[in-house]
Amino acid sequence: MACIYAQTRNDQVRTLNTIVDYMDESSRINRELYWDIKQFAEGYIHSSRPKRNDNYWYTHANPGMRISSYDNAQRFPEIHLDAEGMFSDFEFILYPYLQERENIDKLLAGKFFNNKDSLKNSLLDFKYTMDSLVILHHRLYDYVTNKNYLTDFEFKAALDIIEQTSQILDHYHQRAYHLYDNIREYYLGVLPRLKTQERILEAKDEAFMIIVLLEQWEARLFKGDTSYNHPMDLAVRKFNKASLANDSIIFYGSYGYKVSNNGAMPHTRYCTFYSMMKTTLYWYVKDKYHYPEFMKKSDINYNEFVDRTHMVIEDYNDLIECADGKQLSKNLDYSMKMAAQIGVDTNQNVLLKWPRWSYIFHFVKPGEEKPPVQDRKDTAVTEHQQLINKSSPHHMVFLLDVSASMHDPGKLDLLKEGAKYLVGLQRKTDHISLLTFSTHSHILLRNMACDQKTRINTKIDELQTHGATNASEGIRHAFDIADSNMIANGKNKIILVTDGKFQLDGDASKLLGSFKKKNIELVILLIGTKEDAPTIDKDFEKMSKKGNGRYYKVQGKNLEEVLIKEAAD
């Protein structure tokens, strides 16, 4: 990154957070859309005693009720004022979203997106998708309020709206991830955080580990996989307990420490983030859910999880807002000068917010056979298996970082699950070697055919964290194994998986120059998001390129995809 002034950097992060705010309002609207579709199906189509009262389907207000207008609301074409300047409850719910969309339109018309084509295009894709969902929601609203069901006895028009909505919600999920990936890439690559607000940064890093765990969990549930629920629940609880006990270490002596009645103070927000989880997220695994016949069970499981993470993400964003001294002073209702005089850290170090997830809905029409619970996961597995079956034979030499830092909740589990997922798809003609590195390197498996799945998975399950990080010895051992067990007409790759920066000694660095000559590729995977990622990225990109390979930053949602891509490429 070239030199960029701190104020310019902060202003640009605030602009990125404006996009995240728009994503959050979109998620909120989609929550209402999901509950409306679910309520409509339950009351109109699948009920043995149809509840076709106009008030029944609309979960967040009564259709036809009028609510006082906001100032200048008529500037939006979606808002229809009556003679008294009032508008309907549906439009009342929609209004905050329209305000955020207006902010985005102003951004798109300005200069912020100059030379940011990927970010701009992903935002436009997301916006078009969300606009379509708003239109469909309004159509369903009109269908009920206009009593179209009185002449549409088989609900064909309503079912068509719901089918379109279902498909677009799937597109929304993809485009939301793509948009935030672009936001995060720009933030980490161009706008790394400043070195001020040390207490908040330490607290943010603690809290962010929970967000990473939730991202991994969400990715599993979106695929229809609930097998991860109990391990993730235990990991979240363990990390929550440890971090909540750490508040005095981070915040002791800071302004507002031990003041529980002011939600604007950093210490209070830190404690709120962890404490409120006990009333929301902690109940996800415990609760028993109603699974209506007209919905996929996997959709219910996913949406209930999303419901319980909304407050967690909101509390996380409230916490990191405290790193912006300007905003914190405003929260406390102080001027910057007054805040500084009483001990508030008024430095500005704006941090990137995390967006809420949205909902999915796959409608099972009357008379259709109910799809299997794991349909989305099965589809993904089938597609991945086809890719592996079409690929050349390969020897994957896994070189895994098991140093102490990989003990952080979720990291080693994510690594194990990803490796076992790939092994489950590999063929007898494919081979795997397994090495670990921490203080020293250890060889666990050497060139084993992948039909020996039980033995391979047992070794993967035995992985434990310990020691420091010494990658040089691991690189040398991995190269020796790859070189001596070469598949002549296939692919030979070393997959180095780590969670942080390391240095290679001179011999190991020199050895990388031999990879291309030997037809061996070094693929580096960085697990988790590091705020100092720009320097790590440059080092790992340089290292992997020298080793004839590639570098990836991976999270829970894409580790399996990256492993499949490398195995099939």
Side-chain angles (χ1 to χ4, degrees):
M1 176 184 77
C3 179
I4 182 170
Y5 291 108
Q7 190 57 51
T8 301
R9 179 261 175 206
N10 284 330
D11 288 342
Q12 290 203 28
V13 179
R14 290 189 183 103
T15 300
L16 294 179
N17 282 336
T18 297
I19 303 175
V20 177
D21 289 341
Y22 169 59
M23 296 176 73
D24 278 353
E25 275 302 317
S26 299
S27 171
R28 186 183 63 83
I29 291 296
N30 288 343
R31 177 188 63 193
E32 308 297 343
L33 172 59
Y34 162 65
W35 283 109
D36 282 347
I37 293 175
K38 186 178 177 184
Q39 199 81 330
F40 176 78
E42 202 166 62
Y44 282 65
I45 301 176
H46 284 269
S47 176
S48 58
R49 298 176 61 188
K51 302 172 183 177
R52 294 175 187 173
N53 182 293
D54 291 354
N55 295 340
Y56 182 77
W57 81 286
Y58 204 64
T59 59
H60 45 65
N62 297 322
M65 190 169 109
R66 312 301 276 183
I67 299 177
S68 298
S69 170
Y70 293 86
D71 291 339
N72 197 27
Q74 63 268 28
R75 71 186 186 275
F76 299 115
E78 293 87 352
I79 301 297
H80 304 90
L81 301 182
D82 63 14
E84 298 178 1
M86 315 285 279
F87 59 98
S88 71
D89 54 294
F90 178 85
E91 293 166 357
F92 175 82
I93 293 295
L94 192 61
Y95 186 76
Y97 161 77
L98 297 177
Q99 290 177 301
E100 294 296 343
R101 191 184 69 181
E102 183 179 51
N103 293 335
I104 295 301
D105 288 337
K106 291 176 182 177
L107 266 183
L108 289 167
K111 297 180 179 180
F112 176 77
F113 289 101
N114 291 354
N115 303 316
K116 303 181 185 71
D117 290 343
S118 180
L119 177 56
K120 180 178 181 179
N121 290 335
S122 62
L123 175 58
L124 287 171
D125 285 344
F126 177 87
K127 183 174 180 291
Y128 295 151
T129 302
M130 189 59 209
D131 286 345
S132 298
L133 287 171
V134 170
I135 291 170
L136 288 167
H137 195 177
H138 211 306
R139 286 179 184 171
L140 189 59
Y141 174 85
D142 289 341
Y143 180 91
V144 173
T145 55
N146 295 334
K147 302 183 186 298
N148 294 352
Y149 54 84
L150 295 177
T151 55
D152 183 21
F153 300 112
E154 296 181 356
F155 304 105
K156 289 182 178 179
L159 289 170
D160 181 60
I161 293 171
I162 292 172
E163 179 62 30
Q164 292 181 61
T165 302
S166 170
Q167 295 175 11
I168 295 177
L169 280 173
D170 285 342
H171 293 319
Y172 176 99
H173 188 274
Q174 292 177 326
R175 288 169 184 172
Y177 265 124
H178 184 53
L179 171 57
Y180 194 67
D181 280 347
N182 277 305
I183 291 172
R184 187 160 47 176
E185 181 178 355
Y186 182 73
Y187 171 73
L188 294 173
V190 181
L191 308 171
R193 68 191 190 184
L194 305 175
K195 294 182 179 180
T196 63
Q197 301 279 13
E198 292 182 1
R199 293 176 188 265
I200 302 298
L201 295 185
E202 185 177 354
K204 182 267 179 196
D205 289 342
E206 286 272 334
F208 189 69
M209 286 307 303
I210 293 282
I211 300 297
V212 171
L213 289 172
L214 296 185
E215 186 185 31
Q216 297 167 9
W217 199 348
E218 182 272 342
R220 294 280 176 171
L221 289 170
F222 185 74
K223 294 175 182 176
D225 181 6
T226 58
S227 64
Y228 218 46
N229 283 358
H230 286 286
M232 290 305 297
D233 180 62
L234 290 173
V236 167
R237 290 168 183 265
K238 179 180 179 182
F239 197 79
N240 184 304
K241 183 178 180 181
S243 297
L244 195 55
N246 202 33
D247 72 313
S248 60
I249 298 174
I250 297 175
F251 287 104
Y252 181 77
S254 66
Y255 178 73
Y257 178 66
K258 289 297 185 183
V259 177
S260 59
N261 61 350
N262 190 331
M265 295 176 180
H267 173 252
T268 304
R269 292 191 178 195
Y270 178 85
C271 293
T272 298
F273 171 75
Y274 291 103
S275 299
M276 289 303 293
M277 258 181 256
K278 298 176 182 179
T279 65
T280 54
L281 186 61
Y282 274 29
W283 286 95
Y284 174 66
V285 174
K286 289 182 177 180
D287 275 352
K288 295 181 180 180
Y289 303 114
H290 169 60
Y291 296 105
E293 290 297 319
F294 57 82
M295 275 192 70
K296 295 184 180 181
K297 185 175 181 181
S298 54
D299 285 2
I300 296 286
N301 291 333
Y302 179 81
N303 293 333
E304 291 290 345
F305 175 81
V306 169
D307 258 349
R308 284 159 175 75
T309 60
H310 282 335
M311 185 59 69
V312 178
I313 292 172
E314 182 177 328
D315 289 339
Y316 170 79
N317 289 337
D318 283 347
L319 170 63
I320 67 171
E321 186 181 58
C322 293
D324 182 356
K326 182 179 180 180
Q327 184 62 46
L328 179 57
S329 300
K330 183 178 179 181
N331 294 339
L332 294 166
D333 200 23
Y334 296 153
S335 68
M336 292 275 282
K337 183 178 180 180
M338 183 187 300
Q341 288 174 344
I342 62 176
V344 175
D345 187 346
T346 57
N347 284 293
Q348 298 177 52
N349 188 4
V350 186
L351 303 176
L352 182 65
K353 293 181 179 179
W354 191 269
R356 305 192 322 178
W357 292 292
S358 189
Y359 295 76
I360 51 179
F361 185 95
H362 297 90
F363 194 77
V364 179
K365 301 182 183 71
E368 283 188 341
E369 182 179 356
K370 192 173 181 179
V373 172
Q374 301 289 348
D375 57 314
R376 210 171 358 259
K377 180 184 178 184
D378 293 341
T379 299
V381 171
T382 300
E383 292 173 354
H384 289 164
Q385 187 67 72
Q386 290 173 351
L387 289 173
I388 296 295
N389 291 344
K390 292 177 182 178
S391 68
S392 303
H394 53 261
H395 180 198
M396 307 283 277
V397 181
F398 280 93
L399 178 58
L400 309 179
D401 180 356
V402 292
S403 59
S405 61
M406 286 289 287
H407 183 66
D408 288 344
K411 287 185 179 180
L412 189 60
D413 288 336
L414 172 65
L415 177 55
K416 290 179 180 181
E417 292 296 323
K420 287 163 67 175
Y421 179 76
L422 175 61
V423 169
L425 303 177
Q426 289 174 304
R427 306 154 298 186
K428 184 177 181 179
T429 54
D430 303 320
H431 288 71
I432 185 173
S433 296
L434 184 62
L435 298 87
T436 62
F437 68 94
S438 51
T439 305
H440 297 288
S441 173
H442 298 278
I443 301 171
L444 306 182
L445 292 173
R446 186 189 296 269
N447 194 34
M448 180 165 289
C450 287
D451 60 345
Q452 302 293 315
K453 300 185 187 301
T454 300
R455 186 175 174 188
I456 295 171
N457 286 336
T458 298
K459 286 294 183 181
I460 293 173
D461 285 333
E462 290 174 355
L463 293 174
Q464 294 183 349
T465 58
H466 55 85
T469 303
N470 178 10
S472 298
E473 183 178 296
I475 287 281
R476 288 190 286 271
H477 287 163
F479 180 83
D480 289 343
I481 289 176
D483 186 35
S484 59
N485 297 279
M486 187 76 62
I487 297 181
N489 297 317
K491 297 290 184 179
N492 303 276
K493 301 184 179 185
I494 296 173
I495 309 295
L496 191 160
V497 187
T498 184
D499 71 330
K501 190 174 181 178
F502 56 78
Q503 298 292 334
L504 296 181
D505 61 29
D507 291 341
S509 182
K510 184 177 179 180
L511 182 63
L512 297 181
S514 304
F515 277 51
K516 189 170 184 179
K517 298 177 184 177
K518 294 287 189 174
N519 195 31
I520 297 171
E521 300 173 39
L522 174 63
V523 178
I524 300 176
L525 309 184
L526 175 65
I527 286 185
T529 299
K530 293 272 186 180
E531 290 290 356
D532 55 348
T535 55
I536 296 179
D537 289 344
K538 290 179 182 178
D539 290 345
F540 282 168
E541 284 171 358
K542 182 178 179 181
M543 191 182 301
S544 60
K545 186 175 181 180
K546 186 175 181 181
N548 191 35
R550 286 152 300 285
Y551 162 61
Y552 301 89
K553 288 184 291 189
V554 296
Q555 297 289 325
K557 64 186 177 64
N558 68 343
L559 175 59
E560 291 174 359
E561 283 76 7
V562 169
L563 291 176
I564 294 296
K565 179 180 183 297
E566 286 298 327
D569 190 10

Coordinates of all heavy atoms in Angstrom, one line a residue, residues 2 56 208 490 505 515:
A2 N 0.6 2.1 -0.9 CA 1.3 3.4 -0.9 C 0.9 4.2 0.3 O -0.1 3.8 1.0 CB 1.0 4.2 -2.2
Y56 N -53.6 -12.5 9.1 CA -52.8 -13.7 9.6 C -51.4 -13.8 9.0 O -50.5 -14.2 9.6 CB -53.6 -15.0 9.3 CG -52.9 -16.2 9.8 CD1 -52.9 -16.6 11.1 CD2 -52.2 -17.1 8.9 CE1 -52.3 -17.7 11.6 CE2 -51.6 -18.2 9.4 CZ -51.6 -18.5 10.7 OH -51.0 -19.6 11.2
F208 N -13.5 -11.3 17.4 CA -13.5 -11.8 16.0 C -13.3 -13.3 15.9 O -13.8 -13.9 14.9 CB -12.4 -11.0 15.2 CG -12.5 -11.3 13.7 CD1 -13.6 -10.7 13.0 CD2 -11.6 -12.1 13.1 CE1 -13.7 -11.0 11.7 CE2 -11.7 -12.3 11.7 CZ -12.8 -11.7 11.0
G490 N 0.6 -37.2 -13.5 CA -0.4 -36.6 -12.7 C 0.1 -35.3 -12.1 O 1.0 -34.6 -12.5
D505 N 14.3 -20.5 6.5 CA 15.8 -20.3 6.5 C 16.3 -20.3 5.1 O 15.6 -20.6 4.1 CB 16.5 -21.4 7.4 CG 16.3 -22.8 6.9 OD1 16.1 -23.0 5.7 OD2 16.3 -23.7 7.8
F515 N 11.3 -26.4 -7.2 CA 9.9 -27.0 -7.3 C 9.5 -27.1 -8.8 O 8.9 -28.1 -9.2 CB 8.9 -26.2 -6.5 CG 8.9 -26.5 -5.1 CD1 10.0 -26.6 -4.3 CD2 7.7 -26.8 -4.4 CE1 10.0 -26.9 -3.0 CE2 7.6 -27.2 -3.1 CZ 8.8 -27.2 -2.4

